[in-house]
Amino acid sequence: MAKKRLGDVLRERKHISVADLEKTLEAQQNTTRLLGELLLERELVSKDDLVSALEEAARMRYVDVRFATVEKAAMELLPRAAAERYCVLPLVREGKKIVLAMAEPQNLRAIDELRFLTGMDISPRLGFPSEIAEAISKCYGDVESQAEKDLEKLPFIDQVDISDIQFFTANSSERSKAAMEEFEAELRNEKTPAVRLVSSILASAAKKKASDIHIEPHTLGTVVRIRVDGVMRDLTHIPAELTTSLVSRIKILSDMDISERRVPQDGRFVVQIGQKSLDFRVSTLPTHEGSEKVAMRVLDPSATRVGFAQLGLSPENSSALGALLALPQGMILVTGPTGSGKSTTLYSALNLVRSPAVHIITVEDPVEYKIDEINQIQVNTKAGLTFASCLRSLLRQDPNIIMVGEIRDTETAEIALQAAQTGHLVLSSLHTNDSVAAVTRLLDLNVPGFVIASSLTAVIAQRLVRKLCSCREEVPVTAEYSSRLLAAGIVDFDDTMFVEAGCGKCDNTGFKGRVGIYETLIMDEQIRACVRSNFRDDEIRNLARSGGMKMMQEDALQKVKAGVTTIDEVLRVVPFEQISAVSRCRSCGKALAPAFLFCPYCGAGTRQVSGGGRMQPARGPHSEGAKA
């Protein structure tokens, strides 16, 4: 059945004469107004007759939006700018559909773009333009007024200055550019609640030096949490009504598809706050309630310009690592769990060695920090650009130094280790608990022991602990404090120790900033021989410790003794399974493996006691008792 036009329906029903219809159609050619509007304005038809004719012509029901019920959930799906642009009013959300009152329900392009914007199927209803415009002004005005009131109630809004914030985003895709033009204009308007809220959250997180921002929607509202010095804390709670616009604002900044709420998405944007530039890596994740959880990782480019001493490496380890970085070839691995500062250590090493005379290429997933004079490659698994394929290609680029973001598979490990044998200095990372476990991990990846022994030069295991704020307090030592230090061979400590207090500078947490604790395994000939012979972890560890390697726990306790951090903070981060077995020679003070009966350094015999007890002398082949 052919679709009828409004004029034809009115003529058939004898509601208008042919002459009046032709005059009105002629007048319409010089304007963008709809025929129904002009007919009502000229009083050529009554509203009831026009509504009836429109319903027949468009084959859909008319809704008088002045008296219709408008659900807030429906309005949250469509910003005011888009509603005004298309002259539509969201009425009700019905499952995967949204009911819209439209002035032009026959405009298929508008329906397509509205479907894209809302992420839902469109169920159109008829409405008069003047009535829809009036309803938009009233309904959205009420919502915005309430949003402003809700925003003013948030305590942190007035505590941060958002006047110096500038955003740098990627351009939207061509497919969505037309549909989102007005939407973006609204969300970039500094006066809207969504923009003020996002700017305030970012500024507050930057002020507190947060490493992550998490937006977590719940039934009764949304919680915004930040991670400061490795520990999560609440920043604010925002009303549920602001959640959709808040997430949409972030997704537009990150160049994401705002209509897609069913699958995870990733994006990024850069924020200039005053003189400081911060890079935000954004990830969205759909939740069971239909909302999206947003996680934003905050990356500060200035973190790459930190020296080894500032990171927390001891002078001995700093000089040893500097010497290893000066070598023309070999592999240096940095190990630890996610968030332990591996990337910062690798970037600091690259900053130390970079110069116009050195050709450096990195392969990363993702490229976290951009550094001048370094060629950085972004892994793209979907396009076939993996760590292994990148490594095979970049070796033909004749680099001096190669950084591989992470060794995840056998092929990557083999190519990286072979590159370390053929005149390249290779830096990379692994996920292991300590330095010795990195060797086992490579063996588990089916890399032969002789390849590891000939290629690997050092392994640095690390964690991050919070540093005490300047407001720290000095208190008498506890039994646990003294037993832990004694177990690590630290006997010259005072009768007092430092604990957290809390002040305005540290948000009353007692801690401000973080410092690394390290364990550096240097591959000498004895350890290489052990690796070739597939010795167990504990045997390699004991040999390394007898050669002077400080375990991560020992480095942590040295920082506790120096008042940098606390025992409780160290126990939160560092495993202490093996620290109880530490023993030292009473004569020369060197660390000894539990199985040693005689000190290999001075020859003194020992009888060892685990758990931090004192070692008792035993008669060895070089002791006076033995000579007698």
Side-chain angles (χ1 to χ4, degrees):
M1 183 177 178
K3 190 175 181 180
K4 293 183 179 181
R5 294 183 297 181
L6 175 60
D8 295 335
V9 175
L10 289 170
R11 273 195 307 104
E12 289 175 3
R13 295 185 177 189
K14 301 185 186 313
H15 293 320
I16 190 171
S17 66
V18 175
D20 288 340
L21 179 60
E22 289 179 351
K23 288 180 181 178
T24 308
L25 288 172
E26 187 178 345
Q28 187 190 16
Q29 293 178 357
N30 300 321
T31 179
T32 58
R33 299 179 68 186
L34 300 176
L35 177 61
E37 283 185 286
L38 293 174
L39 291 173
L40 279 179
E41 186 179 287
R42 297 184 175 200
E43 298 181 351
L44 295 175
V45 295
S46 68
K47 182 178 178 181
D48 290 341
D49 291 340
L50 180 60
V51 167
S52 179
L54 280 169
E55 288 181 330
E56 181 180 344
R59 298 176 189 170
M60 64 181 64
R61 186 165 57 86
Y62 163 78
V63 174
D64 191 339
V65 293
R66 296 173 300 175
F67 309 106
T69 301
V70 179
E71 290 185 357
K72 189 177 293 184
M75 293 181 61
E76 289 175 354
L77 295 172
L78 192 68
R80 179 171 183 166
E84 290 176 341
R85 177 182 180 184
Y86 298 107
C87 195
V88 299
L89 180 69
L91 299 176
V92 182
R93 179 175 177 175
E94 298 177 346
K96 294 183 179 180
K97 290 184 178 180
I98 181 172
V99 179
L100 298 178
M102 303 183 64
E104 295 183 84
Q106 73 280 8
N107 188 335
L108 298 181
R109 181 177 178 182
I111 290 177
D112 230 13
E113 294 181 351
L114 288 166
R115 185 185 297 114
F116 174 77
L117 278 176
T118 60
M120 306 190 77
D121 291 332
I122 305 300
S123 180
R125 301 288 187 271
L126 281 170
F128 288 115
S130 57
E131 294 174 354
I132 292 175
E134 182 183 341
I136 288 174
S137 178
K138 178 181 182 300
C139 296
Y140 278 95
D142 293 343
V143 170
E144 290 174 355
S145 177
Q146 185 59 45
E148 286 288 350
K149 292 177 182 177
D150 292 337
L151 195 62
E152 295 303 328
K153 293 178 183 177
L154 300 180
F156 78 105
I157 290 293
D158 294 328
Q159 298 174 7
V160 292
D161 181 15
I162 63 173
S163 58
D164 288 339
I165 296 183
Q166 296 182 32
F167 295 94
F168 301 90
T169 67
N171 292 327
S172 302
S173 63
E174 290 299 321
R175 174 175 175 266
S176 63
K177 189 172 183 181
M180 295 193 334
E181 188 178 22
E182 294 294 336
F183 193 9
E184 288 192 46
E186 180 187 70
L187 289 182
R188 294 180 194 282
N189 184 347
E190 294 183 0
K191 296 181 180 179
T192 61
V195 172
R196 289 181 55 204
L197 181 56
V198 171
S199 298
S200 298
I201 289 173
L202 299 183
S204 181
K207 183 180 179 181
K208 296 178 184 295
K209 299 187 182 300
S211 60
D212 300 270
I213 304 172
H214 295 263
I215 298 172
E216 303 171 352
H218 300 291
T219 304
L220 301 178
T222 297
V223 181
V224 180
R225 301 202 296 163
I226 58 176
R227 190 186 299 276
V228 181
D229 297 334
V231 178
M232 295 287 285
R233 66 172 77 163
D234 285 359
L235 177 65
T236 187
H237 291 67
I238 64 174
E241 292 78 10
L242 292 172
T243 302
T244 301
S245 56
L246 170 65
V247 174
S248 295
R249 162 69 171 169
I250 293 171
K251 290 176 74 174
I252 283 182
L253 289 173
S254 309
D255 197 25
M256 295 182 186
D257 184 350
I258 62 170
S259 67
E260 182 57 76
R261 298 181 175 88
R262 297 164 296 179
V263 297
Q265 295 187 66
D266 296 302
R268 60 177 290 185
F269 61 90
V270 178
V271 177
Q272 184 83 23
I273 304 178
Q275 300 299 317
K276 194 169 189 178
S277 179
L278 296 175
D279 195 349
F280 287 81
R281 303 294 171 88
V282 185
S283 171
T284 64
L285 192 67
T287 64
H288 72 284
E289 296 180 345
S291 302
E292 291 176 285
K293 180 187 180 301
V294 180
M296 293 183 280
R297 188 178 181 193
V298 187
L299 299 175
D300 184 357
S302 63
T304 64
R305 297 187 287 273
V306 178
F308 291 148
Q310 291 173 280
L311 292 177
L313 279 161
S314 65
E316 298 82 11
N317 284 337
S318 295
S319 59
L321 184 55
L324 292 172
L325 289 170
L327 294 176
Q329 67 182 53
M331 173 182 278
I332 300 174
L333 285 176
V334 181
T335 73
T338 301
S340 60
K342 300 188 298 296
S343 297
T344 302
T345 301
L346 288 172
Y347 278 110
S348 296
L350 288 178
N351 265 311
L352 182 68
V353 297
R354 68 173 177 145
S355 74
V358 180
H359 184 197
I360 303 174
I361 302 179
T362 73
V363 184
E364 305 169 65
D365 185 22
V367 175
E368 295 192 357
Y369 302 102
K370 295 180 181 178
I371 305 178
D372 294 335
E373 301 174 357
I374 292 180
N375 305 285
Q376 297 172 276
I377 303 172
Q378 169 73 55
V379 167
N380 187 347
T381 307
K382 293 181 180 179
L385 194 64
T386 63
F387 279 111
S389 63
C390 283
L391 276 173
R392 282 194 297 269
S393 299
L394 71 83
L395 287 174
R396 294 191 286 271
Q397 296 286 325
D398 191 28
N400 301 110
I401 299 173
I402 301 168
M403 188 190 90
V404 183
E406 182 184 346
I407 293 178
R408 300 175 180 173
D409 53 62
T410 301
E411 189 177 9
T412 304
E414 288 178 343
I415 297 173
L417 286 164
Q418 288 168 8
Q421 288 180 317
T422 56
H424 304 88
L425 179 62
V426 181
L427 309 178
S428 190
S429 70
L430 272 176
H431 288 283
T432 61
N433 289 330
D434 57 38
S435 58
V436 177
V439 176
T440 306
R441 173 63 178 150
L442 292 174
L443 290 170
D444 290 341
L445 290 173
N446 297 318
V447 179
F450 69 89
V451 174
I452 300 172
S454 59
S455 305
L456 192 61
T457 55
V459 182
I460 304 168
Q462 67 178 80
R463 299 287 192 281
L464 292 174
V465 294
R466 291 182 295 172
K467 293 193 298 183
L468 282 169
C469 179
S470 57
C471 63
R472 64 183 185 177
E473 293 180 350
E474 201 169 358
V475 299
V477 298
T478 62
E480 183 178 31
Y481 176 88
S482 57
S483 64
R484 290 290 182 186
L485 265 61
L486 285 171
I490 302 172
V491 296
D492 56 336
F493 54 87
D494 299 327
D495 295 331
T496 58
M497 64 180 188
F498 291 99
V499 296
E500 66 273 20
C503 65
K505 292 180 181 179
C506 59
D507 283 345
N508 293 311
T509 62
F511 298 95
K512 191 170 181 62
R514 287 191 290 179
V515 66
I517 50 178
Y518 298 90
E519 175 181 297
T520 305
L521 173 66
I522 306 294
M523 301 290 289
D524 58 23
E525 286 307 316
Q526 287 182 307
I527 295 176
R528 293 183 195 277
C530 289
V531 174
R532 291 190 191 98
S533 304
N534 292 328
F535 275 41
R536 299 193 312 270
D537 276 10
D538 57 340
E539 294 174 315
I540 299 175
R541 186 178 294 107
N542 290 336
L543 183 61
R545 288 171 62 190
S546 66
M549 182 187 82
K550 278 187 179 180
M551 293 185 66
M552 196 185 309
Q553 298 95 325
E554 296 175 88
D555 185 45
L557 292 174
Q558 287 284 2
K559 289 180 169 64
V560 170
K561 176 180 176 293
V564 175
T565 187
T566 67
I567 281 285
D568 290 337
E569 177 64 13
V570 168
L571 292 175
R572 183 183 69 85
V573 175
V574 185
F576 268 73
E577 295 88 0
Q578 294 142 348
I579 194 67
S580 59
V582 175
S583 299
R584 293 182 181 275
C585 175
R586 188 180 182 186
S587 300
C588 66
K590 294 285 187 180
L592 302 178
F596 283 10
L597 299 177
F598 304 98
C599 177
Y601 301 98
C602 66
T606 60
R607 187 176 70 189
Q608 301 172 21
V609 180
S610 62
R614 294 287 184 179
M615 294 180 292
Q616 302 298 323
R619 297 187 181 276
H622 303 292
S623 63
E624 292 183 6
K627 291 179 181 179

